[in-house]
């Protein structure tokens, strides 16, 4: 084999792509040609238009009736074997968490086949590899990325349910999610809950996005509504909880368990505005009472009564009497400053001892998660909402449908449509690599997770993944160039979409960011080494 000729063909295919990536990186880091907003706009254009047209073009021209099922089987077995191994490890070892399993699955099984794999393997093995890479791209878009999204939403559902229903999960019989909620991951906004207790004691839960919290509200988390009120009484702080259910007096409160009266507490939030000297009672009404502005309120904090009237001096609560309010979605407030006129000769009242709470007797022992039927419906609902908002889903499905029709009945695409798709798809590789260069420039560091983590991710990506792929390929009977193409495509760098999901769901984004960037930089020498070593095997 003339390795110099093959090397030149590979460089001729790949170097222009790296040139686009380098230009994008230098445009941001060195020449400051693009602002962050402009980079965001370019990336959005690439993800919404360029990549979907690019995917549609390659999938639509691929003959689905001549797919190599042994090649697909080898690739699918590699992913299933890794997934099964990670599942067993997480079941029998506490060191392998769900987050680690998702990250390891992404690193070892989801390469950047579309942007890097097609030109790279075309230069190594010719046009026969393009059809095989398109088959991998189609399965990734329709199957494996969907499975990855299911894993992320399953993790988000577990966290949400453990926060809001730690002792009542098995009592949930149905969960309805408002149409504006597209993910169970609470990143910027909390999810509010509404619960209805049915005649059989089961809970019907509704989820929706919480409204923005006003600046004169403080958010506090406790283990139950009783804890909220007890703490308010002990600290002499008046509070009111928002009530959003018509059929059940359910308090939006923090870190709760089951209750004895009605049998339910939510782990949501209770909003405590600074109110008058007496507690404002909870009311079961369809419309919530409007809360007076704090200019007309009377403050009572830690026994220090202060009328809210104009004054020029600012007093801060310090030391052990400092009130701190916590929220899962808000930062800790370091201190509360109150504009008021000081009142001398008033001594602080000592905090009374809280009365011990009786243990509930009528609450049944609950499991960690709702029934499998409820969880499955909830997760599939959220995954479906994600997929229908992703244009690449439509492009892959439409491309597959058109290829099935065109190759079955020899139907050709109209010239106007074909040329429109071709113009957009021709920009696919260049714009995709340009977008990756902008992504690299937007990161604070090339190796965000540290050198040790970069080495660990590189070992999983470039050694473990290809080794398992080689084993499954040999097991299904692949030989010759098919075996070599299968192994080399497994050694490609990580795709960008797993990082996007990891960033959105906050699951090891630094590791995957490093894997994407570092992998792109070393992808060419790594794949060339695999190509040369595999070429020596007859």
């Amino acid at each position: 084999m003339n390795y110099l000729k093959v090397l030149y063909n590979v460089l001729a295919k790949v170097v222009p792509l790296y040139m686009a990536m380098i230009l994008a990186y230098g445009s941001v880091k060195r020449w400051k040609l693009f602002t962050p907003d402009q980079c965001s706009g370019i990336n959005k254009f690439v993800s919404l238009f360029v990549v979907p047209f690019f995917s549609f073009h390659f999938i639509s021209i691929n003959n689905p009736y001549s797919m190599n099922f042994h090649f697909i089987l080898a690739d699918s077995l590699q992913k299933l074997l890794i997934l099964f191994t990670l599942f067993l490890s997480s079941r029998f070892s506490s060191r392998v968490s769900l987050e680690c399993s998702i990250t390891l699955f992404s690193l070892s099984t989801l390469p950047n086949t579309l942007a890097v794999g097609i030109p790279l393997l075309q230069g190594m093995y010719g046009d026969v590899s393009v059809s095989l890479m398109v088959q991998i791209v189609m399965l990734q878009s329709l199957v494996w990325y969907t499975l990855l999204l299911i894993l992320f939403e399953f993790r988000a559902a577990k966290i949400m349910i453990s926060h809001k229903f730690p002792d009542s999960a098995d009592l949930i019989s149905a969960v309805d999610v408002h149409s504006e909620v597209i993910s169970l991951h609470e990143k910027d906004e909390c999810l509010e809950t509404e619960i209805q207790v049915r005649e059989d004691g089961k809970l019907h839960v509704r989820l929706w996005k919480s409204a923005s919290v006003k600046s004169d509200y403080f958010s506090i988390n406790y283990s139950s509504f009783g804890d909220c009120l007890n703490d308010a009484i002990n600290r002499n702080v008046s509070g009111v909880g928002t009530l959003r259910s018509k059929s059940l007096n359910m308090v939006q409160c923090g870190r709760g368990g089951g209750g004895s009266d009605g049998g339910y507490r939510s782990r949501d939030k209770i909003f405590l505005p600074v109110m008058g000297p007496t507690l404002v009672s909870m009311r079961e009404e369809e419309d919530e009472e409007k809360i007076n502005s704090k200019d007309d309120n009377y403050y009572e904090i830690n026994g220090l009564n202060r009328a809210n009237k104009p004054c020029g001096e600012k007093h801060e609560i310090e030391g052990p009497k400092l009130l701190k309010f916590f929220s899962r979605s808000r930062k800790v407030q370091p201190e509360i400053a109150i504009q008021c006129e000081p009142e001398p000769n008033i001594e602080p009242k000592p905090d009374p001892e809280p009365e011990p709470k009786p243990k509930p007797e009528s609450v049944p022992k609950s499991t960690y998660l709702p029934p499998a039927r409820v969880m499955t419906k909830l997760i599939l609902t959220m995954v479906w909402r994600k997929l229908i908002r992703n244009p690449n889903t439509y492009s892959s499905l439409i491309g597959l449908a058109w290829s099935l029709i065109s190759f079955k009945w020899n139907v050709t695409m109209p010239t106007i449509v074909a040329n429109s798709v071709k113009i957009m798809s021709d920009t696919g590789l260049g714009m995709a690599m340009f977008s990756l260069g902008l992504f690299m420039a937007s990161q604070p560091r090339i190796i965000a997770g540290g050198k040790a983590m970069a080495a660990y991710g590189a070992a999983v990506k470039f050694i473990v993944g290809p080794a398992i792929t080689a084993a499954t390929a040999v097991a299904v009977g692949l030989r010759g160039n098919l075996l070599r193409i299968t192994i080399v495509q497994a050694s490609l760098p990580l795709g960008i979409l797993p990082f996007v999901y990891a960033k959105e769901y906050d699951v090891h984004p630094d590791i995957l960011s490093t894997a994407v960037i570092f992998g792109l930089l070393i992808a060419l020498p790594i794949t060339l080494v695999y190509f040369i070593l595999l070429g020596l095997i007859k």
Side-chain angles (χ1 to χ4, degrees), residues 152-452:
F152 277 114
E153 280 297 332
F154 176 70
R155 171 187 173 271
K158 286 183 63 177
I159 295 176
M160 185 272 295
I161 290 173
S162 66
H163 282 179
K164 297 181 182 297
F165 315 103
D167 299 319
S168 306
D170 61 345
L171 301 178
I172 299 175
S173 62
V175 180
D176 293 334
V177 186
H178 194 273
S179 59
E180 67 179 4
V181 179
I182 60 174
S183 176
L184 298 177
H185 177 63
E186 302 181 62
K187 185 176 181 180
D188 298 320
E189 296 180 282
C190 285
L191 296 177
E192 292 190 3
T193 54
E194 176 180 290
I195 297 93
Q196 293 179 347
V197 180
R198 295 178 173 176
E199 295 179 354
D200 57 359
K202 298 295 184 179
L203 302 179
H204 187 98
V205 180
R206 289 183 63 248
L207 296 174
W208 69 92
K209 281 186 178 181
S210 63
S212 58
V213 183
K214 294 182 180 180
S215 59
D216 57 338
Y217 274 61
F218 301 103
S219 177
I220 186 168
N221 282 337
Y222 286 98
S223 61
S224 69
F225 175 49
D227 288 347
C228 292
L229 292 186
N230 286 338
D231 192 87
I233 295 172
N234 294 337
R235 294 179 179 271
N236 293 324
V237 179
S238 302
V240 60
T242 60
L243 190 62
R244 299 298 296 268
S245 175
K246 302 177 183 179
S247 59
L248 176 67
N249 284 346
M250 189 277 295
V251 178
Q252 310 277 347
C253 190
R255 306 195 180 279
S260 59
D261 187 11
Y264 184 74
R265 298 171 190 158
S266 171
R267 250 184 116 164
D268 213 327
K269 299 193 301 181
I270 180 171
F271 299 115
L272 298 179
V274 182
M275 298 293 291
T278 60
L279 289 173
V280 179
S281 61
M282 301 294 300
R283 300 183 63 187
E284 183 180 359
E285 293 179 349
E286 180 175 356
D287 297 325
E288 299 174 3
E289 283 191 3
K290 293 183 179 179
I291 302 173
N292 295 329
S293 63
K294 63 181 182 180
D295 293 336
D296 300 326
N297 290 335
Y298 184 88
Y299 292 83
E300 183 175 358
I301 300 181
N302 285 342
L304 296 177
N305 298 329
R306 305 187 188 277
N308 185 22
K309 50 189 178 181
C311 60
E313 190 172 356
K314 182 177 180 180
H315 298 272
E316 296 181 354
I317 303 176
E318 299 178 351
K321 295 177 180 281
L322 174 64
L323 272 179
K324 292 183 179 180
F325 294 89
F326 299 84
S327 171
R328 288 182 289 109
S329 63
R330 299 265 194 292
K331 296 181 180 179
V332 177
Q333 301 293 338
E335 62 185 12
I336 300 175
I338 300 177
Q339 297 281 346
C340 59
E341 183 178 339
E343 293 187 10
N345 303 326
I346 296 182
E347 297 182 359
K349 300 177 183 178
D351 293 343
E353 293 293 332
E355 297 181 2
K357 293 190 301 178
K359 295 183 179 180
E361 299 178 356
S362 60
V363 180
K365 187 177 180 180
S366 302
T367 57
Y368 183 64
L369 291 177
R373 174 185 57 83
V374 178
M375 283 293 292
T376 302
K377 181 181 178 182
L378 175 63
I379 294 171
L380 292 181
T381 300
M382 304 315 301
V383 171
W384 171 251
R385 291 182 183 180
K386 281 279 188 180
L387 292 177
I388 63 175
R389 287 168 169 81
N390 186 0
N392 207 45
T393 302
Y394 295 100
S395 67
S396 300
L397 289 174
I398 296 173
L400 178 60
W402 176 255
S403 65
L404 290 171
I405 294 172
S406 62
F407 286 96
K408 179 70 173 178
W409 293 289
N410 294 322
V411 179
T412 59
M413 190 178 297
T415 305
I416 295 177
V417 177
N419 289 340
S420 300
V421 173
K422 187 176 183 301
I423 286 177
M424 292 300 298
S425 63
D426 285 346
T427 64
L429 284 177
M431 287 299 298
M433 295 302 292
F434 193 86
S435 178
L436 286 174
L438 295 179
F439 163 75
M440 291 175 57
S442 65
Q443 303 303 305
R445 292 184 298 171
I446 295 295
I447 303 178
K451 295 181 180 179

Side-chain angles (χ1 to χ4, degrees), residues 58-236:
F58 276 100
I59 294 176
S60 64
I61 64 175
N62 178 63
N63 188 353
Y65 301 104
S66 62
M67 296 177 68
N68 192 313
F69 292 101
H70 284 84
F71 177 79
I72 294 175
L73 181 61
D75 180 74
S76 301
L77 282 178
Q78 180 242 16
K79 294 175 171 57
L80 292 175
L81 181 60
I82 291 176
L83 191 64
F84 181 70
T85 303
L86 293 173
F87 172 76
L88 290 181
S89 301
S90 63
R91 293 285 293 178
F92 297 104
S93 175
S94 58
R95 300 181 63 182
V96 181
S97 63
L98 179 59
E99 290 80 6
C100 291
S101 299
I102 294 174
T103 301
L104 291 174
F105 177 75
S106 301
L107 284 173
S108 56
T109 63
L110 300 174
N112 193 336
T113 310
L114 186 63
V116 180
I118 290 178
L120 192 61
L121 273 83
Q122 187 180 18
M124 292 179 178
Y125 298 102
D127 293 337
V128 66
S129 63
V130 176
S131 176
L132 297 175
M133 292 301 98
V134 172
Q135 296 172 28
I136 296 295
V137 169
M138 184 173 61
L139 287 178
Q140 278 186 349
S141 300
L142 299 179
V143 178
W144 303 116
Y145 284 150
T146 302
L147 178 60
L148 182 65
L149 188 57
I150 289 175
L151 293 176
F152 277 114
E153 280 297 332
F154 176 70
R155 171 187 173 271
K158 286 183 63 177
I159 295 176
M160 185 272 295
I161 290 173
S162 66
H163 282 179
K164 297 181 182 297
F165 315 103
D167 299 319
S168 306
D170 61 345
L171 301 178
I172 299 175
S173 62
V175 180
D176 293 334
V177 186
H178 194 273
S179 59
E180 67 179 4
V181 179
I182 60 174
S183 176
L184 298 177
H185 177 63
E186 302 181 62
K187 185 176 181 180
D188 298 320
E189 296 180 282
C190 285
L191 296 177
E192 292 190 3
T193 54
E194 176 180 290
I195 297 93
Q196 293 179 347
V197 180
R198 295 178 173 176
E199 295 179 354
D200 57 359
K202 298 295 184 179
L203 302 179
H204 187 98
V205 180
R206 289 183 63 248
L207 296 174
W208 69 92
K209 281 186 178 181
S210 63
S212 58
V213 183
K214 294 182 180 180
S215 59
D216 57 338
Y217 274 61
F218 301 103
S219 177
I220 186 168
N221 282 337
Y222 286 98
S223 61
S224 69
F225 175 49
D227 288 347
C228 292
L229 292 186
N230 286 338
D231 192 87
I233 295 172
N234 294 337
R235 294 179 179 271
N236 293 324

Side-chain angles (χ1 to χ4, degrees), residues 451-509:
K451 295 181 180 179
M453 193 59 66
Y456 176 76
V460 173
K461 184 71 202 72
F462 297 111
I463 297 177
V464 176
I468 298 177
T469 302
T472 57
V474 171
V476 300
L478 293 184
R479 299 292 185 271
N481 276 348
L482 276 179
L483 176 62
R484 298 183 182 98
I485 291 173
T486 305
I487 298 174
V488 173
Q489 69 88 22
S491 66
L492 295 173
L494 180 69
I496 190 66
L497 190 58
F499 165 75
V500 173
Y501 285 154
K503 183 76 172 178
E504 179 180 352
Y505 290 91
D506 196 22
V507 179
H508 302 149

